[in-house]
Amino acid sequence: MTPRQLRWVLIVVGGLALARGGASIFSRPEQEVLHSAYTLPPTCLSSGCITIYTLTVGNTGSEDQEQVRVRLHAAALQTAILPLTVRTFGKVERPFALSEEAGVRTYALGRLRPGDRVELSFALRTASPAAAPPWDAILAGVEPAHGTARAGDPAAVSLGRLLYAVFGVRWW
């Protein structure tokens, strides 16, 4: 691959990271928490459909977040066939504190260092694919200790910032 082709590939990858990220790749604020929710397409059998839900929460700021809480509507989780799991980087089981008040379950994830990402996932059984609730009906909110949380892909923002740091504007 020629240097010119490599540059265009990096521009496209950086552009995709910028578009998906939901935050600036040109600077890193002190307090920034992003969350990204997605569902896998339902798998349906004669007994019903199973949909897997995943929420990724990441500290993309430059300072620790002492406590990050994820709030989910308890009613939406009543049909969960797999209990909610919480994993750091989607791989390592993460301890969390659970509380419930007024129909909302709060998962206290603890401290998130800069660059940490936590993945919450569960599976719901429904009668049909159309009956699977959207994330808007499940997610009540993401609450960092400092600042606000926004929708955005923490992995894409991290990748975009890495590419910008390595290749920067000096190449243009």
Side-chain angles (χ1 to χ4, degrees):
M1 183 178 288
T2 68
R4 182 182 172 112
Q5 291 171 327
L6 177 63
R7 181 175 36 171
W8 281 108
V9 167
L10 292 173
I11 288 171
V12 169
V13 169
L16 290 173
L18 181 62
R20 279 189 45 120
S24 173
I25 63 169
F26 305 112
S27 66
R28 187 174 189 185
E30 292 176 354
Q31 308 295 333
E32 182 179 70
V33 173
L34 298 179
H35 58 88
S36 160
Y38 63 93
T39 58
L40 294 179
T43 301
C44 296
L45 303 169
S46 60
S47 61
C49 297
I50 297 171
T51 305
I52 297 175
Y53 292 79
T54 303
L55 176 71
T56 303
V57 178
N59 181 2
T60 54
S62 62
E63 293 186 4
D64 286 2
Q65 285 286 342
E66 295 301 320
Q67 181 68 266
V68 176
R69 293 177 185 85
V70 175
R71 301 175 58 230
L72 303 175
H73 293 288
L77 300 173
Q78 296 301 325
T79 60
I81 58 170
L82 292 176
L84 187 132
T85 60
V86 179
R87 295 187 174 111
T88 302
F89 292 104
K91 305 287 183 205
V92 179
E93 293 290 327
R94 181 181 185 90
F96 62 91
L98 175 64
S99 62
E100 187 168 338
E101 183 178 322
V104 175
R105 289 186 186 162
T106 301
Y107 297 86
L109 306 178
R111 176 186 294 224
L112 290 182
R113 293 185 308 255
D116 281 357
R117 288 191 308 269
V118 176
E119 186 177 280
L120 293 87
S121 61
F122 57 94
L124 299 181
R125 179 184 301 259
T126 57
S128 69
W135 265 108
D136 292 346
I138 298 171
L139 182 63
V142 176
E143 300 169 344
H146 306 286
T148 59
R150 296 186 322 210
D153 189 337
V157 168
S158 296
L159 174 64
R161 287 179 181 160
L162 173 71
L163 291 174
Y164 180 71
V166 171
F167 297 103
V169 293
R170 63 185 172 268
W171 282 48
W172 315 113

